[in-house]
Amino acid sequence: MNEREQMNIVIVGHVDHGKSTLIGRLLADTDVLPDGKLEQIKEHCRKNSREFEYAFLLDALKDEQSQGITIDSARCFFKSDKRRYLLIDAPGHIEFLKNMISGAARAESALLLIDAQEGIQENSKRHGYMLSMLGIKQVAVCVNKMDLVKYDKKVFSAIETEYTKFLSDIGITPQAFIPVSAREGDNIASSSKNLSWFTGKHVLEVLDSFAKEPLPEEKPLRMPIQGVYKFTKKGDDRRLIAGRIESGTLNVGDEVVFLPSNKRSIIKSIEEFNAPTSSFAKAGQSVSLTLQEQIYVNRGELMTRKEDVLPQVSSLLRANIFWMGKTPLSTDKRYKLKLGTTSVPVMIKSIESVLDASNLDAAKKAHVERHEVAECILECQQPIAFDLSAELASTGRFVLVDEFDIAGGGIIAQALDDKQKKARAQVFLREQKWEKGHVSMKDRAEKYSQLPTLLLLTGKTGVDKKSIAKLVEKKLFDAGRKSYFLGIGNILRGIDADITKTERDEHVRRFGEVANLLLDAGLLVVGTASDLDVDDLRLLQTINKRGETYIVHVGDPDGTHDVAHLLLDAADDHEVNALKVIEQLKLKNYIFNL
Amino acid sequence: MDKLDALESQSVYILREAYANFHNLCMLWSIGKDSTVMLWLARKAFGGHVPFPLVHIDTAYKIPEMITFRDKIAVKLGLDMVYGQNKKALANKNTFPDGKIDRIACCKTLKTEALRNTLSGEWPRYRLNHKTGKYDVDENREPYTGVIVGARADEEGSRSKERYFSPRDKTNNWDVGDQPPELWNQFKTDFAPGTHIRIHPLLDWTELDIWEYIERENIPITDLYFDKGDGKRYRSLGCYPCTNPVESTARTPKEIVEELRAGKFSRIAERSGRAQDKEDGGGLETLRRDGYM
Ligand SMILES: Nc1nc2c(ncn2[C@@H]2O[C@H](COP(=O)(O)OP(=O)(O)O)[C@@H](O)[C@H]2O)c(=O)[nH]1
């Protein structure tokens, strides 16, 4: 047996079809229970005059035993001659679909149980569908309780035919169909005489035949950034980029790109703790890296190699979502989308169709109810980097958070063009061709004790943003900072002389490009622009690759109010407001050391 | 990927997610093997550093070597070490060793209550002053909103149902029936004011994995786990009135690994040396709901 190999298996199926019994049986028949455990539970049953059930081995929780249903996905370990298994028992009751999903999402393969006497039930199908959405491809189906149908081959074959058809509709080819009796121990850990007409493998053999899926080393590099650490107080000057490699490989010396920011650098080292240094890392590893050129990247960015196929970047995407929320998923509410280590506010732009996973009926509906699956178009507040799930599973799926809880899971089917697509492509080329001098961004940041930042004051016309902005510029300047006021109007007659005022997008784009140059020179740019909308802000953020973008909203709510980092009251004294802005710059560590 | 490498990588991932999402984060360190491995994993995750406080609940009945070991390591690694204690119960001699209450009630008093009140900041915390080597009353009484705990799923029934990120309500309750979904390495990091999240980086480890890893990494661990000549060692650590050593001559992590794999302990539950587990038919579940680790 290979002590070092472990496979995670989830057991799913309609409630009462015998999952817990099957697991109890596997534990008992493979001899992995601690001495006395089986006897202890049998004794407990005798004392309480209850019939012994193998399921009790698993259902160790008190209230579970009294209710008689598995409410959560429990985990337990067992061993075969081949390797170690982590068995995950997923509850079959519809109420606990979120628990079934939590269990199944952790698995590499699945056993799906169907009661021979009851036949295929609603959740037999729903669970099958969820397995396909979760991307679990190795599935074996056990037709259980064969003892109740006198081990009749016909019953088994009928279920096999019907369910194979259903699975093929959702893109799953089962590895095996096995007639079993979990209670009697038929075909669990040994072949059964009662089922002599069946020539296939028993459950344990089928489990052992499941292959370990290799980690996606051959695929493009994807590493979501979990954090950028600097423990200067602990006497450590390294700036560590931390994350886990989801796919691909990386070498010291590789040029890497961070998306969506499009910042680039070269891997200087892979830092180890209590391990020999290495110049190579691959999918599955959690690593700490240092970069040759210090660039300011944040948690949430996706790192890839310049040579690899790049991920998609957009704020608009099409996805299939399964909903587990207490209230229905709707188009008029803001959710949070979490993908890799990114987290952005998101709106459901449209619900294209809603599917009942228990019978595959699709319908057009205004809401997605709990336990339904829907195809939706999502619009993120900022562009994010991702993959299509068919190409790269781990960066092609996300969860939706409603209030405080994860309430839905989604797999991305398509990246849609958002309004910034063209600008993004231009910026990509611009960055590739950008010629740098000998003074790096880090040199400038250290010399000036400031990170280049576009401080953008927005709000309706007439709230006197400019006075606040100019005061901020002046105060920063007086404190020894390199600051510069840039009103969007200032470029109207010069750089914008060839376009009309109605070409708004181009107007904003040019403003962004000018700001980007000033940021590259290391300045704190205090910009003002009126009546911007969310798309304008996204455009500016797409263009600004040289520094941070910090949005300050002044006055009554408008289109950009919700996405601002700081809200100012137009009625407040300019002095007060300017100080608030500067305070934030300090808190954010955009200015330091003076 | 090797099993230990995969476990290590996942634990490091979880620790980093915890660090990114919780401002008031701490790690419970019981001085036992599991949380000592967790401390090591934190150093792996953060370039050799531990960027959050370690909290120990001192019942005053811990095996004395545990406290010595705790302070030795804390000083050596420059850890931000904090402990909490139920001073009142101890002063009133309201404990099992004093004969006033039974074992379960004692656990509740000295561990569960002390833990709850230390985490919430209700009771004073004592923080190691690295200049004097002594513990001072900590000024920081802010509640910890993220608490990293070294629970393993294979320890006993109720723990097998835990999530990696597991919410606790205002009274530290664990609602095992209504846990949030957890999938694709996305964890519950949003929570209502007053509640907090327990984080379990070791959930997928077994006792054997822990010892194999201690051996592989050569992790410093208290020698209570090893036989020092009298044919006895501890398999699980706790308070001395309620924890008994087991008969074993294993003197190194390697010998413990062998013992667990094929020897006498391969079939005996780990906590068999702990008296309090036996008193309650439901195992640790009652205690656990109340916030006991
Ligand atoms: N006759 C018979 N009963 C079974 C078999 N497997 C399970 N059961 C019974 O079916 C009921 C539900 O089983 P359980 O394992 O709790 O189902 P779960 O809800 O899928 O976990 C229990 O009363 C079991 O004893 C079997 O193979 N044959």
Side-chain angles (χ1 to χ4, degrees):
Chain A
M1 168 187 164
N2 184 356
E3 285 279 352
R4 306 222 157 260
E5 189 176 307
Q6 176 179 313
M7 173 162 280
N8 298 350
I9 307 244
V10 65
I11 321 266
V12 298
H14 198 76
V15 65
D16 275 349
H17 282 197
K19 294 174 301 295
S20 315
T21 308
L22 180 82
I23 295 178
R25 251 302 167 184
L26 276 171
L27 296 179
D29 290 2
T30 54
D31 225 23
V32 290
L33 292 171
D35 281 342
K37 183 86 178 176
L38 192 60
E39 290 70 33
Q40 184 198 329
I41 291 174
K42 282 190 171 162
E43 175 62 19
H44 190 80
C45 289
R46 202 187 49 78
K47 262 202 218 147
N48 296 287
S49 6
R50 293 186 60 182
E51 200 183 330
F52 168 75
E53 292 260 356
Y54 278 96
F56 293 163
L57 284 173
L58 208 68
D59 296 353
L61 282 178
K62 269 189 193 166
D63 67 342
E64 251 196 36
Q65 288 185 9
S66 53
Q67 270 178 26
I69 42 175
T70 315
I71 50 176
D72 202 323
S73 42
R75 283 172 259 199
C76 59
F77 295 93
F78 87 102
K79 287 186 248 183
S80 73
D81 292 338
K82 185 171 176 187
R83 62 187 162 205
R84 205 166 83 141
Y85 289 95
L86 170 60
L87 281 184
I88 304 159
D89 175 28
H93 202 280
I94 178 83
E95 275 302 298
F96 305 121
L97 189 72
K98 63 185 166 77
N99 296 335
M100 176 268 166
I101 284 172
S102 305
R106 217 172 264 144
E108 298 156 87
S109 39
L111 283 180
L112 195 146
L113 264 73
I114 299 174
D115 185 322
Q117 199 170 43
E118 274 197 25
I120 298 162
Q121 295 293 312
E122 192 182 304
N123 283 322
S124 316
K125 291 189 174 176
R126 201 189 299 271
H127 284 184
Y129 190 85
M130 287 304 159
L131 292 178
S132 97
M133 274 202 88
L134 292 168
I136 297 170
K137 297 193 189 73
Q138 306 195 81
V139 180
V141 183
C142 300
V143 179
N144 187 32
K145 307 195 190 178
M146 286 300 289
D147 57 306
L148 293 183
V149 297
K150 305 205 172 62
Y151 299 104
D152 187 351
K153 184 178 176 183
K154 273 194 252 94
V155 177
F156 172 74
S157 302
I159 292 176
E160 180 177 18
T161 311
E162 186 185 344
Y163 201 68
T164 305
K165 160 106 188 30
F166 171 78
L167 287 180
S168 87
D169 287 347
I170 57 173
I172 293 182
T173 315
Q175 225 91 340
F177 261 87
I178 321 161
V180 303
S181 167
R183 197 163 77 179
E184 306 305 323
D186 295 305
N187 266 351
I188 306 297
S190 61
S191 295
S192 160
K193 288 201 197 72
N194 295 326
L195 294 157
S196 53
W197 48 263
F198 179 72
T199 52
K201 293 175 175 145
H202 58 69
V203 172
L204 200 57
E205 285 169 334
V206 168
L207 293 183
D208 279 349
S209 75
F210 284 147
K212 277 297 282 182
E213 235 182 283
L215 289 163
E217 284 168 37
E218 308 299 318
K219 303 269 178 143
L221 174 69
R222 297 290 184 262
M223 182 174 118
I225 306 304
Q226 282 188 282
V228 180
Y229 309 137
K230 202 163 174 196
F231 299 109
T232 323
K233 281 202 194 110
K234 299 188 187 275
D236 188 343
D237 274 335
R238 293 173 301 170
R239 194 182 173 80
L240 300 172
I241 312 284
R244 179 168 63 186
I245 303 175
E246 294 296 337
S247 59
T249 56
L250 66 82
N251 286 282
V252 168
D254 281 345
E255 183 167 355
V256 286
V257 185
F258 296 83
L259 291 167
S261 79
N262 211 345
K263 291 177 185 167
R264 284 142 199 268
S265 191
I266 292 169
I267 306 280
K268 182 172 158 203
S269 69
I270 301 170
E271 299 290 300
E272 295 285 357
F273 172 75
N274 197 50
T277 53
S278 162
S279 59
F280 170 78
K282 61 177 197 290
Q285 279 178 268
S286 287
V287 295
S288 307
L289 310 169
T290 64
L291 301 176
Q292 260 177 28
E293 193 197 337
Q294 295 304 351
I295 51 168
Y296 291 90
V297 287
N298 296 316
R299 173 179 162 85
E301 300 229 36
L302 188 58
M303 187 182 89
T304 179
R305 295 194 317 166
K306 193 185 137 204
E307 277 100 84
D308 284 342
V309 176
L310 296 179
Q312 313 276 344
V313 176
S314 182
S315 52
L316 216 53
L317 48 97
R318 180 193 300 275
N320 289 308
I321 295 174
F322 52 89
W323 191 244
M324 305 171 269
K326 294 194 175 97
T327 52
L329 177 74
S330 69
T331 50
D332 51 15
K333 193 168 172 191
R334 191 186 302 271
Y335 300 95
K336 187 155 93 179
L337 178 149
K338 298 212 287 181
L339 185 155
T341 55
T342 326
S343 166
V344 288
V346 67
M347 299 286 285
I348 307 297
K349 216 171 164 204
S350 68
I351 298 168
E352 304 284 283
S353 70
V354 178
L355 188 80
D356 181 341
S358 69
N359 55 22
L360 305 186
D361 287 345
K364 187 88 193 158
K365 287 202 204 169
H367 301 284
V368 186
E369 304 289 337
R370 178 139 95 146
H371 304 147
E372 285 178 335
V373 176
E375 186 184 306
C376 300
I377 310 275
L378 290 87
E379 185 170 26
C380 306
Q381 203 160 78
Q382 293 110 39
I384 56 168
F386 59 88
D387 287 287
L388 306 188
S389 84
E391 283 159 19
L392 268 176
S394 66
T395 40
R397 56 199 184 190
F398 59 85
V399 297
L400 294 177
V401 177
D402 187 10
E403 306 288 340
F404 298 118
D405 280 334
I406 293 177
I411 56 178
I412 302 176
Q414 195 186 4
L416 301 171
D417 294 349
D418 57 10
K419 282 195 182 157
Q420 294 75 42
K421 184 183 157 76
K422 194 168 143 229
R424 209 172 284 129
Q426 280 172 351
V427 167
F428 189 77
L429 283 179
R430 181 192 82 193
E431 292 304 292
Q432 266 185 335
K433 300 286 171 199
W434 196 281
E435 182 120 11
K436 288 179 194 149
H438 293 307
V439 185
S440 73
M441 168 179 176
K442 178 171 174 262
D443 295 338
R444 272 188 240 274
E446 278 173 4
K447 183 141 215 162
Y448 303 160
S449 293
Q450 64 188 38
L451 292 187
T453 302
L454 172 60
L455 266 173
L456 187 65
L457 282 75
T458 69
K460 292 183 176 162
T461 37
V463 293
D464 206 9
K465 298 176 288 289
K466 280 186 205 152
S467 299
I468 303 172
K470 288 174 187 172
L471 201 56
V472 170
E473 180 205 31
K474 178 87 167 71
K475 282 183 179 296
L476 287 168
F477 180 83
D478 288 346
R481 309 282 174 184
K482 314 278 179 288
S483 56
Y484 186 75
F485 166 78
L486 178 70
I488 194 166
N490 287 5
I491 60 171
L492 207 57
R493 304 276 174 263
I495 290 171
D496 284 347
D498 61 325
I499 56 172
T500 64
K501 228 182 158 176
T502 54
E503 291 173 71
R504 185 169 170 83
D505 285 352
E506 183 59 13
H507 195 50
V508 173
R509 188 188 76 79
R510 292 183 186 191
F511 173 66
E513 285 290 348
V514 171
N516 189 61
L517 281 173
L518 296 170
L519 293 168
D520 196 45
L523 305 186
L524 299 169
V525 180
V526 194
T528 55
S530 293
D531 298 324
L532 293 183
D533 62 22
V534 177
D535 271 312
D536 296 328
L537 290 183
R538 272 194 215 131
L539 180 60
L540 289 172
Q541 275 163 328
T542 303
I543 293 167
N544 172 11
K545 292 298 167 219
R546 290 301 188 278
E548 307 295 333
T549 305
Y550 189 83
I551 297 160
V552 180
H553 187 274
V554 189
D556 295 338
D558 63 1
T560 59
H561 183 263
D562 282 354
V563 300
H565 299 103
L566 177 67
L567 302 178
L568 295 181
D569 188 341
D572 278 350
D573 198 44
H574 291 336
E575 179 78 19
V576 171
N577 278 333
L579 287 174
K580 270 190 195 160
V581 174
I582 292 170
E583 183 59 29
Q584 287 301 316
L585 286 177
K586 284 187 192 144
L587 275 177
K588 286 268 184 189
N589 262 330
Y590 293 166
I591 53 180
F592 39 87
N593 271 354
L594 275 185
Chain B
M1 212 178 190
D2 178 82
K3 179 186 71 179
L4 290 181
D5 288 334
L7 287 169
E8 177 191 78
S9 178
Q10 176 72 355
S11 301
V12 165
Y13 187 84
I14 291 169
L15 286 168
R16 286 173 172 172
E17 285 304 288
Y19 184 56
N21 284 292
F22 296 91
H23 286 297
N24 280 315
L25 182 67
C26 72
M27 179 184 270
L28 296 188
W29 185 26
S30 73
I31 330 297
K33 61 187 189 322
D34 299 332
S35 53
T36 304
V37 161
M38 199 159 69
L39 172 61
W40 187 260
L41 288 164
R43 296 175 72 202
K44 286 250 176 189
F46 305 105
H49 311 289
V50 185
F52 34 72
L54 291 162
V55 174
H56 180 229
I57 299 306
D58 189 352
T59 59
Y61 288 105
K62 292 288 168 191
I63 307 169
E65 285 93 329
M66 293 170 71
I67 306 297
T68 320
F69 180 79
R70 174 190 80 190
D71 291 343
K72 192 183 89 189
I73 296 287
V75 167
K76 190 168 150 214
L77 299 181
L79 300 176
D80 185 4
M81 188 72 224
V82 172
Y83 82 82
Q85 195 166 55
N86 191 342
K87 299 257 184 213
K88 200 165 138 212
L90 290 168
N92 296 339
K93 300 204 175 297
N94 195 21
T95 71
F96 169 72
D98 288 309
K100 288 239 186 89
I101 50 177
D102 68 14
R103 291 182 205 270
I104 296 282
C106 185
C107 271
K108 247 194 166 124
T109 311
L110 296 186
K111 287 194 200 166
T112 314
E113 263 182 56
L115 177 71
R116 179 169 59 231
N117 290 292
T118 303
L119 292 181
S120 68
E122 219 69 32
W123 291 356
R125 300 167 178 161
Y126 305 89
R127 167 172 255 130
L128 179 62
N129 180 336
H130 281 273
K131 283 197 196 95
T132 61
K134 300 229 155 47
Y135 284 85
D136 302 337
V137 175
D138 190 5
E139 274 150 37
N140 179 4
R141 297 282 281 263
E142 261 190 73
Y144 293 114
T145 50
V147 182
I148 308 171
V149 183
R152 303 190 332 262
D154 78 326
E155 277 174 283
E156 44 82 44
S158 68
R159 293 193 187 189
S160 74
K161 316 238 152 179
E162 274 289 11
R163 301 276 202 260
Y164 294 121
F165 282 55
S166 173
R168 293 291 188 277
D169 70 12
K170 287 185 183 146
T171 51
N172 262 16
N173 257 325
W174 179 39
D175 188 351
V176 66
D178 187 24
Q179 301 195 67
E182 185 169 84
L183 64 156
W184 299 332
N185 283 311
Q186 297 295 350
F187 309 116
K188 181 172 171 67
T189 50
D190 300 271
F191 53 96
T195 64
H196 76 268
I197 307 272
R198 296 262 163 106
I199 298 137
H200 301 121
L202 298 183
L203 210 53
D204 297 337
W205 296 60
T206 63
E207 187 188 8
L208 181 61
D209 296 329
I210 292 285
W211 282 110
E212 284 179 341
Y213 191 67
I214 290 172
E215 187 199 347
R216 183 181 96 173
E217 299 282 318
N218 203 5
I219 301 173
I221 187 119
T222 158
D223 63 6
L224 290 167
Y225 284 108
F226 308 120
D227 171 34
K228 290 181 289 282
D230 59 353
K232 283 188 165 74
R233 66 177 195 84
Y234 287 92
R235 190 174 173 195
S236 159
L237 301 182
C239 299
Y240 55 81
C242 294
T243 314
N244 294 315
V246 293
E247 309 269 330
S248 156
T249 53
R251 277 162 305 162
T252 60
K254 189 163 192 284
E255 286 175 14
I256 293 179
V257 166
E258 278 159 19
E259 198 176 63
L260 286 173
R261 259 202 208 135
K264 54 190 284 197
F265 289 131
S266 61
R267 308 280 303 272
I268 298 177
E270 177 185 356
R271 296 175 65 98
S272 52
R274 296 230 201 161
Q276 72 269 34
D277 291 22
K278 295 183 186 134
E279 293 197 354
D280 181 31
L284 290 183
E285 206 227 327
T286 331
L287 282 174
R288 189 150 178 71
R289 267 171 209 283
D290 292 341
Y292 170 66
M293 296 300 107

